[in-house]
Amino acid sequence: MKLHNGTLYWPNTNSIEFSVESPELPKKQYDAIVVGGGISGCLTAYKLMKEGLSVAILEKGKFGFGSTAASTGLLHYSNDIMLSELIQQIGEKEAIRFYQLCYQALDDIENIVNELPHDVDFVRRPSIRYASDETDVNKLRNEYETLYMNHFPCEFWDESTLSFYMPFKKPAALVTFRDAEINPLKFITNLLIYLQDRGVDLFEGTVVTESSYDNQLVQLKTTTHLFQAKDVVYTIGCEENENAKKDDVIFNRSYVMVTKPVQSNTQWHEKAMIWETKRAYLYLRTTPEGGIMAGGMDEHISEAPVDERVVEKCALKLLKQVQSLFPHLELEVDCCYASTIAESKDQLPFIGAHPTKPHHYYLHGYGGNGTVYSALGSNIISDLIAGRKNEDANIVAPIRKEKMDKLPFSSIA
């Protein structure tokens, strides 16, 4: 499955030298094997390595060049599903706790970043979510009140306040604080350097073809070697054909456009990350080089378009939307691409143990907040593998309470 097409932005920003030094043969046995070498897999391997376990990561292609390379690097504690909506869906206690986990995950990511050998352009930013039209004002106000009552840092801006801070007018906005942006490719490259230097074995070009449990060990047959481990964690959420079933997961394609650097943009308040209430939503951030990255125009098609002219046409539409918000800027497309994105129908990730296959675990951070989900999920997985009870695991369990008869993914990745 082709996850993206076009010209990716992040590879041209990453000058960190890194080469995978795979062992000629894997260890006879690992404590844990992680299948998938994106952000989810590397964060999981990091947590398991910190537990003192022997760990290997298996990646079917090149590390970091699946969904990670196409990520826009936006990190929010707020999610595609608002807290007020999530309370209606799963109840107040669990919904608030899930939002707390997302908020804590941002701190976890920052702590990991501070351990890494090179800068990864992690910067704390506010997020501005504006009402696309008047009908969404009350929804934003209700979400603000829900967040504020539960001690999440936020503000509600009316039209005049928003227009004071930004060069565009919208009916209202919800502003959340202590969010962040990151260069996802620099992040994963640094993580891989860190992990490899500390004994985590990395295997590229390694596809799992069969998984079983025998003699108290997980047996993984791959295109290169036979691997054995006490536990295996699958972190390959966007591989539609190999991983997720369509009845619980939606696969779309989304478009991203990055402009050439612009002159000083003092009218962009604190370089806040921006998104809107309507779906599919437009979202924006600045880049360290001074450009604007914008994404959106989601389509109900799972694979990126083969024809790059389609990508370029959508990029011009995104440019027009950005220009309408910042009419004082002279903007020009620098690069653009389309990528596959996955989201669960209930807007929550799938994290936890397979109910019938012993010692098989899953971390699928479906949704627009995948890196944050990966960070909170790696904590849950490490607890479960270490034999510690995790009180939060039931919120994101692979089998939801209302669907105890099936899994949202196949048992073999």
Side-chain angles (χ1 to χ4, degrees), residues 246-356:
K246 293 182 179 180
D247 50 2
D248 285 286
V249 181
I250 303 167
F251 290 88
N252 295 325
R253 70 185 184 197
S254 187
Y255 296 88
V256 175
M257 176 277 304
V258 184
T259 73
K260 293 182 178 180
V262 298
Q263 293 182 346
S264 178
N265 189 10
T266 56
Q267 289 180 269
W268 190 319
H269 179 66
E270 296 186 8
K271 298 182 179 178
M273 298 175 288
I274 301 170
W275 52 324
E276 63 177 324
T277 51
K278 78 173 184 180
R279 301 291 295 268
Y281 54 79
L282 173 72
Y283 56 94
L284 301 87
R285 58 163 288 183
T286 59
T287 70
E289 293 73 30
I292 297 173
M293 175 178 283
M297 300 187 62
D298 297 3
E299 299 173 327
H300 295 302
I301 304 171
S302 60
E303 294 195 49
V306 175
D307 190 344
E308 291 196 13
R309 289 174 298 181
V310 175
V311 180
E312 292 167 358
K313 184 177 180 180
C314 289
L316 291 176
K317 291 181 179 179
L318 283 172
L319 182 71
K320 186 176 181 179
Q321 292 181 55
V322 176
Q323 193 75 73
S324 69
L325 295 175
F326 297 92
H328 62 290
L329 297 178
E330 294 184 8
L331 302 177
E332 183 179 353
V333 175
D334 186 31
C335 65
C336 54
Y337 58 90
S339 63
T340 298
I341 57 174
E343 60 182 37
S344 63
K345 289 188 176 180
D346 65 3
Q347 302 293 311
L348 294 174
F350 290 101
I351 302 164
H354 193 289
T356 61

Side-chain angles (χ1 to χ4, degrees), residues 3 35 46 57 86 103 130 172 208 218 233 238 262 327-328 340-341 355 358 362 389 403 410 412:
L3 295 179
V35 180
Y46 169 89
I57 310 178
L86 190 59
Y103 189 78
Y130 64 80
V208 176
V218 176
V233 187
C238 275
V262 298
H328 62 290
T340 298
I341 57 174
Y362 297 84
K389 185 175 182 179
K403 294 184 178 181
S410 61
I412 298 177

Side-chain angles (χ1 to χ4, degrees), residues 213-267:
Y213 187 70
D214 188 36
N215 295 324
Q216 305 299 308
L217 290 173
V218 176
Q219 314 282 337
L220 292 179
K221 289 184 180 180
T222 78
T223 51
T224 58
H225 304 290
L226 174 65
F227 291 83
Q228 296 187 114
K230 295 178 182 177
D231 298 285
V232 61
V233 187
Y234 293 102
T235 63
I236 52 174
C238 275
E239 294 290 350
E240 177 187 14
N241 296 329
E242 300 179 23
N243 191 57
K245 295 180 180 178
K246 293 182 179 180
D247 50 2
D248 285 286
V249 181
I250 303 167
F251 290 88
N252 295 325
R253 70 185 184 197
S254 187
Y255 296 88
V256 175
M257 176 277 304
V258 184
T259 73
K260 293 182 178 180
V262 298
Q263 293 182 346
S264 178
N265 189 10
T266 56
Q267 289 180 269

Side-chain angles (χ1 to χ4, degrees), residues 13-18 118-120 185-187 189-190 193:
T13 70
N14 187 23
S15 60
I16 302 168
E17 294 185 5
F18 168 70
H118 305 284
D119 181 45
V120 299
L185 199 55
K186 284 186 179 180
F187 184 39
T189 302
N190 272 270
I193 293 171

Side-chain angles (χ1 to χ4, degrees), residues 368-398:
N369 211 11
T371 300
V372 170
Y373 293 167
S374 297
L376 73 86
S378 65
N379 289 323
I380 292 173
I381 294 295
S382 63
D383 278 349
L384 297 178
I385 288 178
R388 295 187 295 267
K389 185 175 182 179
N390 187 292
E391 300 291 344
D392 305 312
N394 65 300
I395 302 174
V396 293

Side-chain angles (χ1 to χ4, degrees), residues 122-138:
F122 177 93
V123 182
R124 291 282 190 167
R125 302 274 191 215
S127 296
I128 299 173
R129 188 174 191 178
Y130 64 80
S132 302
D133 54 51
E134 291 283 353
T135 62
D136 287 333
V137 173
N138 287 337

